[in-house]
Amino acid sequence: MEFPAVALSLIVALRMSPLAAGSKLQPHMPNVCAEQQLGVVGLRQPCVQALSRAARVWQQDCGGRRWCAGYERRVVYYTGYRQVYQLRSQTTYRCCPGWSQLAGDAGCLHSKCHSALLNFLGSGSFQVLCLQEML
C-alpha cells in the first residue's frame, strides 16, 4: 500500500470514528446502537515456583554436646510474572444504520435517508426504512 492510500484510509477511519464527531456516543442517546467488539488484552499472570534447599540450623542436645550444626530442608517460594493474552469482548456505541452524528450532537440526529417509510411495529414503536436502499 502506498503512502497516499494509507493516509487516505487513516483520514476516512478518523472521520467515521465517534471521537472525531466531538461527542462520545452513549446508549441512552437517540439512534445509537451497541456493537460488541473483540480485542486482545495483555495481562500479567503470577507464576509461583517452589525451590527446595538445605538450610544450616543449630540444634540442642545432640550426642553429648549442648549445640551442634544440622541441616533442614526449607522450601522457598518465588513469584514471577508472565505475559498472557486473552480475547475480551467490549461494547462500543455507533450510529445505527441510516443515521450519522455531526460535531456537537448528543446522539445520531441526522438521517442519511432522503426519503423514508415508517413501519409501525406496534406498542408505540416504529422502524425507519430508507426508500433509496430498497430500490
Side-chain angles (χ1 to χ4, degrees):
M1 192 183 269
E2 297 176 336
F3 177 73
V6 172
L8 180 61
S9 64
L10 180 63
I11 291 170
V12 169
L14 183 60
R15 180 86 173 128
M16 291 172 50
S17 76
L19 296 175
S23 176
K24 190 171 180 185
L25 296 175
Q26 299 294 321
H28 64 275
M29 293 178 174
N31 305 313
V32 173
C33 293
E35 182 179 287
Q36 294 294 321
Q37 286 185 336
L38 285 178
V40 178
V41 178
L43 303 168
R44 271 181 45 161
Q45 185 179 45
C47 227
V48 178
Q49 189 171 13
L51 179 66
S52 177
R53 62 183 181 95
R56 188 174 182 180
V57 293
W58 289 97
Q59 299 172 343
Q60 284 184 337
D61 299 325
C62 37
R65 294 184 293 180
R66 283 184 66 120
W67 292 94
C68 64
Y71 290 92
E72 287 183 1
R73 282 264 176 237
R74 299 266 170 99
V75 178
V76 180
Y77 296 95
Y78 293 100
T79 303
Y81 294 91
R82 65 182 180 161
Q83 190 76 13
V84 293
Y85 298 94
Q86 291 181 348
L87 277 177
R88 292 262 172 104
S89 178
Q90 179 179 345
T91 303
T92 58
Y93 299 101
R94 299 186 189 249
C95 289
C96 293
W99 295 91
S100 64
Q101 180 187 31
L102 295 180
D105 286 350
C108 304
L109 304 176
H110 300 278
S111 173
K112 292 182 180 178
C113 299
H114 297 294
S115 55
L117 175 68
L118 292 180
N119 182 20
F120 288 95
L121 303 173
S123 69
S125 61
F126 62 92
Q127 178 183 27
V128 178
L129 300 173
C130 289
L131 293 178
Q132 62 204 31
E133 292 177 1
M134 295 171 52
L135 298 176

